Every structure is written in C-alpha cells, then in structure tokens.
Amino acid sequence: MTDLYRVLPEEMDKLVTEIGQPRYRADQLLHALYHESPRDMSDLRQIPAAMRDALVAAGYTIGSANEAHRVASEDMQTTKLLLKYGDGTMIETVLMQYPSKTKIHPRSTVCVSTQVGCAMGCVFCATGQMGFKRNLQAEEIVAQVLHFARVLREREEHVTNLVFMGMGEPLANYTETIRAVRLLTHARAFGLGQRSITISTVGVIPLIDRLADEQLQIGLAISLHAPNDKIRRRLVPTAGPHSVEDLFLASKRYFKKTGRRITFEYALIDGINDSPEVAAELAQLLKGNGAHVNLIPVNSTAGGFQRPKRQLVHEFQRILRKGGVNCTVRVEKGSEISAACGQLRTDMVKKITNSNID
Ligand code: SAH
Ligand code: SF4
C-alpha cells in the first residue's frame, strides 16, 4: 500500500498515466488532496469512481491520522494536537498563532514532528528523554500540517509558516523530511513558500551540507546551546565528533550556498550556560557573520533544569548585542499546555488524557 500523500506531483503524472487516465487528472487529484482534505478515498468526489477503483487496485490509499486529543492555551493562540496514526503511534504537533498589526489574519505557524521520540538525548529535552521509537513517513509529517490547515480553513485562515521543531531530529530522518518539504512547498501540492519553512537541527554536519545542495530556500536553525565543546557535550551527549567549531563552519557553508542566514538556537539554562563569560565567548565565536541567536529560556521538563532569572537573560542578550551579534529572546508560547519547546512527549500526554483516547 502506498499513501497518496507521499506521491510527489511528478510521480503523480506518471501514476495517472499508468492507470490509464489522462494527465489532467493528476492536478485534479492533487488539488483535492491538498485543498479539500479528504479523509478517505470516497471523499475524492471530483475523481471518477473508475479512477478511484483503479487507484485502490494499484495499491494506493489515504492513510489515517486521527485527532486523539486537542488542547488550546487560555489565550487560544497555541493549540496542541495529539495525532494517532494507523498503526496506533501517537505524536504531537502544535499550532502557534501570532496576531498581526498589519494583516487581518494572524501568522499561523505549525510546529511539526519528524520522529516518535529522538535518539539525540539532549538532557533538557522531554522528547530526548523518551528515547527513539521510530521515524515518521513523509505522509505522516504532511498529515500534521493538513490537520491544522483543515482546522484553520473553517475559520477562513490558513497555515502561513512551518517549523520543524517538534518531536525528533529532522536530519536524522532526512529522506522523509525532505520529501515532506517538497510536498508541502510544491505549487501543485500544498504550495507553501520555501522561505516560510525552517528546519531546526541539533547539528548533523554531513546532512547540513547535503541540505545545502537541495536547491531549497528553506531556513536553517542550529541548536547550539554552548560556545564550547565542554558545555555542549554535557547538554547534547551525542554531539560526539561534531564540535562547536565544525558546526559553525558548516553553518557558514550553508549560508554561502543558499544565501539564507542561520539562526542559532540557545536554550538558556540556569547555572550551566548562562554566565556573562559564556555570553562573551559566544559573541566572540559568532560576531561578524550576520548570524542570529534565538535565546530560549529553558522550559522545565523532567531533568530539573531551570531557566535563569529574567535579568540574567537580558544581560546575556545585552552582551551578545554589544559584541555585534543579532539576538532575540523567544516569545514564550504554550508552556501551560506543555506545548513549548522540548516539552513534547507523548507518553506523558497519554497518561494525562487517557480517557480521551480511543
Ligand atoms: N531536534 C531538533 C528540532 C526539535 S527541538 C533540534 O534539536 O534542533 C526544537 C528546539 O527546542 C531546539 O532548539 C531544542 O534545543 C529546543 N528545546 C528542547 N528542549 C527544550 C527545553 N526544555 N526548553 C527550551 N528549549 C528546548
Ligand atoms: Fe532530539 Fe532536538 Fe530534543 Fe535534542 S532537542 S533530544 S535533538 S528533539
């Protein structure tokens, strides 16, 4: 069985010809899939029954991804969905909305997961602490976006941005992640602008180089968290051969090839990587390269890590800026519903929401 939601437009052209249909049916099918959100084959009403039967006979299907639970923050700007796939696997995906001063509709960013769990084991991250379960298929990644697209369509809104910052390490599931990006950005499929997408990685260097060669205009965020290997290895135990220096050089190569500036994410943790000396060391490493640092005061998870006091966060930011490095503090979203960075962990949600899951 092949899910129609993993078929790229070029492959769809070939597929419709193979089942004896005219080429224009490929566009009809893609339009129905990406703009009408059918739940199963019988929902594809514009497609003639004979073609639907031929698709089924050729082994094509529309996989199921059902909403098992939904929570919204009090201000309604953050919504977390627990999605359940056909095999019973569950993942979390988050919608963050930012009201706009100039536009009627808010910016609506979907934060997608690429893996169930994660093998990288970052000590402050709930997903890392649950270990690696499995990779998600491209169609399972796409389903997360389409689910929110459907929710938003009912309010005459749409998905405007996408960040690969949910559960898992996107580059450790490289092929399926890139297929999902191509499906979501292809003008004949979901059609989101490449520049509206950011992939966040803990830093798998050969794959950052491979991504730079994909001819995509997507943004890259590297989770750095430290200006030196001593601190970084403590936070990212799997960093192994990937030194801070090598990561920085890889980011420069990415910028050179794609023209897209890199964001460095930095989870600020009380007493570990938040001192003025560390800030100065980070400024020294990054200055003069047009890099942008996004400070994320750490969200509490099981690891017992605390965020620094607000004053220290501002001091850290001030030192970076003074040292010539662009720096912002991430706007906190969703922590009261455990939907903030690093808080996605399905086994905990399972316990809390057991009664809502079929
Ligand atoms: N695996 C990828 C993408 C998912 S994590 C990566 O690590 O980049 C997305 C972001 O959330 C990363 O920058 C990660 O470091 C950050 N993060 C993880 N746990 C966090 C926590 N407890 N508090 C704040 N940020 C956290
Ligand atoms: Fe994996 Fe990213 Fe969490 Fe690290 S921070 S464990 S790479 S999801």
Side-chain angles (χ1 to χ4, degrees):
M1 290 294 235
T2 305
D3 196 316
L4 283 174
Y5 278 111
R6 64 174 291 107
V7 181
L8 289 161
E10 304 78 51
E11 297 167 343
M12 199 67 95
D13 291 337
K14 204 159 150 259
L15 164 61
V16 293
T17 323
E18 275 165 12
I19 58 167
Q21 295 287 329
R23 270 293 263 285
Y24 71 86
R25 292 274 183 222
D27 276 323
Q28 234 174 9
L29 185 51
L30 286 163
H31 188 270
L33 288 171
Y34 289 94
H35 302 287
E36 284 158 29
S37 314
R39 287 176 192 277
D40 54 40
M41 286 290 204
S42 63
D43 268 353
L44 295 171
R45 285 187 226 339
Q46 284 93 337
I47 307 298
M51 176 169 163
R52 277 186 265 149
D53 292 345
L55 283 169
V56 174
Y60 290 92
T61 176
I62 290 179
S64 64
N66 294 313
E67 189 176 318
H69 190 60
R70 190 193 296 200
V71 253
S73 62
E74 228 164 77
D75 63 8
M76 300 300 284
Q77 289 181 4
T78 308
T79 310
K80 180 165 79 167
L81 283 188
L82 190 61
L83 275 194
K84 187 174 179 182
Y85 297 118
D87 69 346
T89 302
M90 281 194 269
I91 57 91
E92 296 181 340
T93 178
V94 182
L95 170 72
M96 296 160 292
Q97 295 200 285
Y98 306 82
S100 162
K101 286 199 186 94
T102 51
K103 296 190 185 126
I104 310 168
H105 295 305
R107 181 150 63 94
S108 297
T109 302
V110 178
C111 176
V112 292
S113 295
T114 52
Q115 299 182 311
V116 187
C118 182
M120 310 308 287
C122 302
V123 294
F124 51 86
C125 170
T127 311
Q129 296 311 301
M130 72 186 260
F132 175 70
K133 304 281 186 328
R134 76 165 171 89
N135 280 326
L136 292 183
Q137 296 286 109
E139 62 271 29
E140 294 174 319
I141 300 171
V142 167
Q144 300 168 44
V145 183
L146 291 186
H147 236 84
F148 278 122
R150 189 182 299 135
V151 171
L152 290 172
R153 198 174 302 137
E154 283 162 17
R155 314 203 293 241
E156 293 186 0
E157 293 172 13
H158 57 274
V159 175
T160 59
N161 297 73
L162 195 58
V163 291
F164 284 75
M165 295 186 186
M167 299 168 71
E169 167 50 43
L171 297 189
N173 183 16
Y174 188 88
T175 315
E176 294 300 306
T177 296
I178 297 303
R179 180 175 276 269
V181 167
R182 294 202 184 281
L183 289 160
L184 291 164
T185 56
H186 204 297
R188 295 174 62 203
F190 191 64
L192 202 62
Q194 290 180 2
R195 288 174 166 268
S196 314
I197 296 185
T198 301
I199 288 191
S200 173
T201 176
V202 73
V204 192
I205 291 173
L207 296 176
I208 292 178
D209 286 319
R210 191 166 156 201
L211 188 63
D213 287 331
E214 295 281 354
Q215 310 275 335
L216 287 168
Q217 276 292 299
I218 54 179
L220 183 67
I222 298 181
S223 296
L224 193 63
H225 311 313
N228 60 54
D229 291 324
K230 188 158 173 266
I231 301 178
R232 192 162 197 272
R233 293 211 168 110
R234 186 170 163 199
L235 298 174
V236 187
T238 55
H242 305 296
S243 70
V244 167
E245 177 67 18
D246 290 343
L247 256 182
F248 179 60
L249 293 175
S251 78
K252 279 176 87 166
R253 290 194 295 274
Y254 188 88
F255 174 54
K256 202 165 167 216
K257 277 211 174 129
T258 63
R260 301 295 317 265
R261 292 201 187 281
I262 313 289
T263 298
F264 289 102
E265 292 161 287
Y266 194 102
L268 262 182
I269 309 175
D270 182 39
I272 296 187
N273 62 357
D274 63 338
S275 70
E277 296 74 40
V278 170
E281 195 180 341
L282 186 64
Q284 188 64 28
L285 174 74
L286 301 181
K287 70 169 187 219
N289 281 287
H292 181 101
V293 173
N294 196 206
L295 297 174
I296 321 171
V298 80
N299 291 305
S300 59
T301 60
F305 297 97
Q306 301 296 331
R307 54 176 51 185
K309 294 209 170 54
R310 193 183 295 250
Q311 210 183 334
L312 253 173
V313 175
H314 286 137
E315 178 63 4
F316 200 94
Q317 182 182 30
R318 194 190 61 77
I319 295 169
L320 281 176
R321 285 190 171 159
K322 200 168 142 240
V325 178
N326 221 322
C327 170
T328 47
V329 180
R330 182 167 295 179
V331 183
E332 174 90 271
K333 280 228 168 259
S335 61
E336 92 252 28
I337 56 166
S338 283
C341 297
Q343 293 188 313
L344 303 183
R345 180 182 171 129
T346 27
D347 59 345
M348 275 166 74
V349 175
K350 233 187 277 180
K351 273 182 219 140
I352 299 162
T353 62
N354 224 1
S355 56
N356 297 324
I357 296 165
D358 50 11

